[in-house]
Amino acid sequence: MKGIILAGGSGTRLHPITHAVSKQLVPVYDKPMIYYPLSVLMLAGIRDILIITSPGDVKNFSALLGDGESLGISISYATQEKPRGIADALAIGSEHIGGDSVALILGDNIFHGPGFSWSLKQNLDSIDGCVLFGYPVHDPERYGVGEVDSHGRIVSIEEKPEKPRSNRAITGLYAYDNDVVSMVEELRPSSRGELEITDVNRMYMERGKARLVDLGRGFAWLDTGTPEALIEAGQYVRALEVRQGVRIACIEEIAFRMGFIDQESCYRMGLRLNKSEYGRYIMELAG
């Protein structure tokens, strides 16, 4: 399975913070925002990842992450000239996807919860169709909402419905088999000139091949698109890290524990950051 992170856009809801820097490079507590979606793909065992961003931001992402070799993965980059919808990432990334399945994640979404890596592997292994991830919310009218049958198959998808049929919001993590490449080629832009991811999901639904995995209680799904949400996400991460003594979305630790790199390589990465608590944490776990 290939991975794609959509980290484009102008981040207008975070202006003036994002006038000069990509939203996905803004810190969420102790690490750049991009670390969080990258960690999700790594936890799923995905090692070939494309980051799609704005033309002016590629060099900054590359300076931060390079080609991924130090993490035991492969990271490449592509540009989106202007926001053209989430599904446009699949069109841009079609060559990257090739003949494989793909997991697409939004660059400003944070996922955290017990057993997440296991759930990802279980639901994304040998994928046949489309797998979406649902999260219970108290205000589903603000989101895209999925309704499922007794087998977890999606039977309806509504965007910001006035009378929601479900309280399961569809999160910013999408997984598809290789049919998605040809499906995106058939898409027509919406009235806003965008390729809508909901249209892709409905195509799978109409084939009876769209499933919704419930993230359930005890799980956190955070969108960091506004100043308030950014602060709340940072507070959430800080509280867990301070109380539990662990690091959320520590990509060096994940690479080590997933077997992508060895102990010595992990320690060296921590050593390069040894002036920070983050770097010392890496050194300690690899020591």
Side-chain angles (χ1 to χ4, degrees):
M1 175 174 273
K2 301 291 181 61
I4 296 177
I5 302 174
L6 180 54
S10 53
T12 53
R13 293 184 297 167
L14 285 171
H15 281 177
I17 298 171
T18 50
H19 268 310
V21 64
S22 168
K23 172 174 64 176
Q24 288 80 16
L25 292 173
V26 170
V28 178
Y29 184 48
D30 60 346
K31 61 191 74 68
M33 189 186 297
I34 191 71
Y35 275 36
Y36 295 88
L38 177 58
S39 71
V40 171
L41 297 182
M42 292 173 66
L43 285 170
I46 298 171
R47 302 178 68 169
D48 195 348
I49 297 167
L50 175 69
I51 296 176
I52 299 175
T53 188
S54 304
D57 291 318
V58 171
K59 64 179 181 179
N60 293 327
F61 281 101
S62 182
L64 176 66
L65 298 169
D67 61 4
E69 182 180 4
S70 62
L71 295 167
I73 62 177
S74 173
I75 298 176
S76 54
Y77 303 89
T79 60
Q80 187 182 49
E81 297 295 327
K82 61 179 181 179
R84 290 191 296 263
I86 297 172
D88 186 50
L90 297 167
I92 293 171
S94 60
E95 186 174 338
H96 169 72
I97 298 168
D100 292 325
S101 54
V102 62
L104 167 65
I105 187 169
L106 303 187
D108 60 359
N109 276 214
I110 295 176
F111 296 83
H112 180 257
F116 190 36
S117 180
W118 177 86
S119 178
L120 288 170
K121 291 176 185 177
Q122 182 185 49
N123 287 289
L124 302 188
D125 185 40
S126 302
I127 186 171
D128 179 20
C130 159
V131 175
L132 307 178
F133 292 83
Y135 188 78
V137 295
H138 72 276
D139 51 353
E141 64 277 359
R142 294 181 53 228
Y143 301 91
V145 176
E147 180 188 12
V148 301
D149 63 17
S150 59
H151 301 287
R153 288 190 297 263
I154 299 175
V155 295
S156 75
I157 299 174
E158 299 176 290
E159 280 295 325
K160 299 181 179 180
E162 292 184 7
K163 296 181 179 180
R165 300 180 184 179
S166 162
N167 71 335
R168 263 40 181 186
I170 296 174
T171 68
L173 174 60
Y174 317 85
Y176 305 100
D177 64 16
N178 193 252
D179 288 348
V180 76
V181 175
S182 58
M183 286 183 176
V184 170
E185 290 177 352
E186 298 173 9
L187 279 186
R188 294 184 178 180
S190 67
S191 58
R192 299 183 298 174
E194 297 184 352
L195 297 181
E196 302 288 352
I197 200 69
T198 298
D199 291 339
V200 176
N201 297 336
R202 285 199 179 109
M203 291 169 79
Y204 275 102
M205 180 188 71
E206 289 166 1
R207 295 184 180 186
K209 286 193 169 186
R211 292 193 299 115
L212 188 67
V213 176
D214 192 354
L215 294 174
R217 297 181 63 179
F219 202 94
W221 168 53
L222 306 170
D223 180 343
T224 54
T226 67
E228 293 79 11
L230 193 61
I231 292 171
E232 290 173 2
Q235 290 173 335
Y236 172 83
V237 172
R238 180 185 181 279
L240 285 181
E241 291 191 350
V242 170
R243 292 177 185 176
Q244 298 182 2
V246 298
R247 299 276 164 173
I248 296 173
C250 176
I251 54 177
E252 296 85 357
E253 177 180 12
I254 293 170
F256 176 47
R257 298 200 186 281
M258 294 292 292
F260 300 167
I261 59 174
D262 60 23
Q263 184 176 0
E264 182 181 352
S265 298
C266 185
Y267 185 86
R268 284 201 303 267
M269 285 192 287
L271 188 61
R272 288 197 293 268
L273 304 171
N274 69 352
K275 298 295 184 181
S276 69
E277 289 292 334
Y278 183 89
R280 289 191 287 273
Y281 171 82
I282 298 169
M283 293 171 63
E284 184 176 344
L285 73 90

